[in-house]
Each structure stands twice: as structure tokens, then as C-alpha cells.
């Protein structure tokens, strides 16, 4: 789906636990910047932003219609490996307007530096997955493996439905 200026203009601010009004405003601005960048510079394909919660600076990573890899930008890969625990946001768009992919979940669950993963769909819908103070990486991985083993097709949706058990907060809105 091609991104339009109307979609960008209508991206809503979503209330998220642990963020004040100014931070929520900044996240909304970043969502609009992400979609604008994808529309103008990457043919509405996937673009990611790795954002520091310390200074709100970010690194842009361009992908394809079907995916994105932090490994294509060495600076981004290094930041994920060296940034303090829970000090980064990783937002990216999904041209096919889908929720988190299995790859998104696996990367998020294992990256200690990333506090929240966000999908901003090309139609403006937004999905958020955040680590809470109760997050346990091992427990989350085991739980995800169990859910995947039981459900296969719907593993991502089922995991998101039950993710509070693993210390995660799932939220969505917009669109």
C-alpha cells in the first residue's frame, strides 16, 4: 500500500504507559516522520527508526516491501548492542498493514536495549509492544516457543493476546 499525505496527517497520538504528554507527542511526530520518509525516499517500503530515549536522536534504516535489517546499517547494529538496557525505541512501517512479524518479535525479545517495538502501518494503524518492569527475557522466549508450538498459524496473534504473562504490554490504535 502506498503511503499518502492524508494518512500521515491523520496519524494519532496514542496513550502509552510510562510516557508523559511530551514523549507521546514526540512519538507521534516520529511516526509521521517515518511514514513521510518511507513515502518520499523508499517507495512506501519498510523503513525503520532506532530512537534513543535519552536524546530522541535516531538512525534510519531502509528496507524492502517485505522486511528490514538493522545489519544493513552498522551504526544501528552497534547501537542496539551497546546502548543501555531499555533505552531505545524501534519503530518501523509495514507496507502490507500487518501486525508484528515473527522476526519482529524474536528481535525485540532478545534485544536488551530496546524498550518498545512499534509498527506503524502504511494505512496509519499503530501497534506497540513494550517491556514492563516484570519482563523476563527467558520466560518470554519460552512462552513464545510454547505458543508457537500449539498454534503455528496464529502464533503472533496468540502471543500478543497473552503477552502480559511474559511482562509485556501490547497496545494498538489509529487507522
Amino acid at each position: 500500500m502506498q503511503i499518502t499525505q492524508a494518512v500521515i496527517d491523520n496519524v494519532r497520538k496514542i496513550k502509552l504507559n510510562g510516557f508523559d504528554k511530551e514523549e507521546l507527542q514526540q512519538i507521534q511526530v516520529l511516526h509521521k516522520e517515518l511514514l513521510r520518509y518511507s513515502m518520499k525516499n523508499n517507495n512506501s517500503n519498510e523503513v525503520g527508526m532506532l530512537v534513543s530515549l535519552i536524546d530522541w536522536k535516531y538512525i534510519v534504516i531502509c528496507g524492502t516491501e517485505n522486511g528490514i535489517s538493522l545489519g544493513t546499517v552498522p551504526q544501528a547494529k552497534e547501537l542496539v548492542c551497546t546502548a543501555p538496557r531499555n533505552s531505545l525505541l524501534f519503530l518501523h512501517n509495514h507496507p502490507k498493514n500487518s501486525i508484528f512479524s515473527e522476526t519482529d518479535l524474536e528481535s525485540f525479545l532478545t534485544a536488551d536495549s530496546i524498550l518498545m517495538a512499534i509498527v506503524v502501518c502504511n494505512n496509519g494503524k499503530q501497534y506497540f509492544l513494550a517491556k514492563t518492569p516484570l519482563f523476563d527475557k527467558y520466560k518470554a522466549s519460552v512462552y513464545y516457543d510454547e505458543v508457537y508450538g500449539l498454534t503455528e498459524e496464529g502464533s503472533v496473534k496468540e502471543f500478543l493476546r497473552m503477552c502480559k504473562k511474559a511482562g509485556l504490554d501490547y497496545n494498538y490504535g489509529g487507522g
Side-chain angles (χ1 to χ4, degrees), residues 54 59 92 100 118 167-169:
I54 297 166
I59 298 169
H92 65 294
F100 293 98
I118 303 168
L168 295 166
D169 187 25

PDB file of all heavy atoms in Angstrom, residues 54 59 92 100 118 167-169:
ATOM      1  N   ILE A  54      17.159   8.752  25.365  1.00  0.00           N
ATOM      2  CA  ILE A  54      17.992   9.691  26.119  1.00  0.00           C
ATOM      3  C   ILE A  54      17.948  11.076  25.475  1.00  0.00           C
ATOM      4  O   ILE A  54      17.734  12.076  26.147  1.00  0.00           O
ATOM      5  CB  ILE A  54      19.437   9.163  26.238  1.00  0.00           C
ATOM      6  CG1 ILE A  54      19.431   7.846  27.036  1.00  0.00           C
ATOM      7  CG2 ILE A  54      20.355  10.196  26.876  1.00  0.00           C
ATOM      8  CD1 ILE A  54      20.708   7.043  26.955  1.00  0.00           C
ATOM      9  N   ILE A  59      18.416   6.814  14.096  1.00  0.00           N
ATOM     10  CA  ILE A  59      19.098   6.292  12.919  1.00  0.00           C
ATOM     11  C   ILE A  59      18.013   5.704  12.018  1.00  0.00           C
ATOM     12  O   ILE A  59      17.138   4.978  12.489  1.00  0.00           O
ATOM     13  CB  ILE A  59      20.109   5.196  13.305  1.00  0.00           C
ATOM     14  CG1 ILE A  59      21.191   5.761  14.226  1.00  0.00           C
ATOM     15  CG2 ILE A  59      20.716   4.560  12.064  1.00  0.00           C
ATOM     16  CD1 ILE A  59      22.075   4.699  14.859  1.00  0.00           C
ATOM     17  N   HIS A  92       9.017   0.946  12.942  1.00  0.00           N
ATOM     18  CA  HIS A  92       9.107   0.687  11.509  1.00  0.00           C
ATOM     19  C   HIS A  92       7.708   0.558  10.939  1.00  0.00           C
ATOM     20  O   HIS A  92       6.749   0.331  11.662  1.00  0.00           O
ATOM     21  CB  HIS A  92       9.951  -0.557  11.219  1.00  0.00           C
ATOM     22  CG  HIS A  92       9.386  -1.850  11.728  1.00  0.00           C
ATOM     23  ND1 HIS A  92       9.251  -2.127  13.068  1.00  0.00           N
ATOM     24  CD2 HIS A  92       8.916  -2.932  11.062  1.00  0.00           C
ATOM     25  CE1 HIS A  92       8.735  -3.336  13.202  1.00  0.00           C
ATOM     26  NE2 HIS A  92       8.509  -3.849  12.009  1.00  0.00           N
ATOM     27  N   PHE A 100       2.883  -7.178  14.105  1.00  0.00           N
ATOM     28  CA  PHE A 100       4.264  -7.626  14.244  1.00  0.00           C
ATOM     29  C   PHE A 100       4.463  -8.968  13.544  1.00  0.00           C
ATOM     30  O   PHE A 100       3.580  -9.827  13.558  1.00  0.00           O
ATOM     31  CB  PHE A 100       4.615  -7.802  15.728  1.00  0.00           C
ATOM     32  CG  PHE A 100       4.643  -6.521  16.492  1.00  0.00           C
ATOM     33  CD1 PHE A 100       3.548  -6.117  17.246  1.00  0.00           C
ATOM     34  CD2 PHE A 100       5.761  -5.703  16.462  1.00  0.00           C
ATOM     35  CE1 PHE A 100       3.555  -4.924  17.949  1.00  0.00           C
ATOM     36  CE2 PHE A 100       5.783  -4.506  17.166  1.00  0.00           C
ATOM     37  CZ  PHE A 100       4.677  -4.119  17.908  1.00  0.00           C
ATOM     38  N   ILE A 118       7.577  -0.799  17.698  1.00  0.00           N
ATOM     39  CA  ILE A 118       6.366  -0.161  17.185  1.00  0.00           C
ATOM     40  C   ILE A 118       6.257  -0.443  15.690  1.00  0.00           C
ATOM     41  O   ILE A 118       7.234  -0.302  14.960  1.00  0.00           O
ATOM     42  CB  ILE A 118       6.411   1.371  17.402  1.00  0.00           C
ATOM     43  CG1 ILE A 118       6.608   1.706  18.879  1.00  0.00           C
ATOM     44  CG2 ILE A 118       5.166   2.036  16.820  1.00  0.00           C
ATOM     45  CD1 ILE A 118       6.964   3.171  19.145  1.00  0.00           C
ATOM     46  N   GLY A 167       5.412 -10.299  30.914  1.00  0.00           N
ATOM     47  CA  GLY A 167       5.908  -8.982  31.298  1.00  0.00           C
ATOM     48  C   GLY A 167       5.949  -7.991  30.151  1.00  0.00           C
ATOM     49  O   GLY A 167       6.787  -7.082  30.129  1.00  0.00           O
ATOM     50  N   LEU A 168       5.040  -8.148  29.190  1.00  0.00           N
ATOM     51  CA  LEU A 168       4.974  -7.246  28.046  1.00  0.00           C
ATOM     52  C   LEU A 168       3.631  -6.538  28.020  1.00  0.00           C
ATOM     53  O   LEU A 168       2.629  -7.061  28.498  1.00  0.00           O
ATOM     54  CB  LEU A 168       5.162  -8.033  26.738  1.00  0.00           C
ATOM     55  CG  LEU A 168       6.523  -8.677  26.554  1.00  0.00           C
ATOM     56  CD1 LEU A 168       6.487  -9.686  25.415  1.00  0.00           C
ATOM     57  CD2 LEU A 168       7.589  -7.638  26.306  1.00  0.00           C
ATOM     58  N   ASP A 169       3.623  -5.333  27.461  1.00  0.00           N
ATOM     59  CA  ASP A 169       2.412  -4.550  27.325  1.00  0.00           C
ATOM     60  C   ASP A 169       2.162  -4.338  25.830  1.00  0.00           C
ATOM     61  O   ASP A 169       2.992  -3.738  25.144  1.00  0.00           O
ATOM     62  CB  ASP A 169       2.584  -3.217  28.053  1.00  0.00           C
ATOM     63  CG  ASP A 169       1.311  -2.402  28.111  1.00  0.00           C
ATOM     64  OD1 ASP A 169       0.203  -2.976  28.033  1.00  0.00           O
ATOM     65  OD2 ASP A 169       1.421  -1.164  28.244  1.00  0.00           O
TER      66      ASP A 169
END
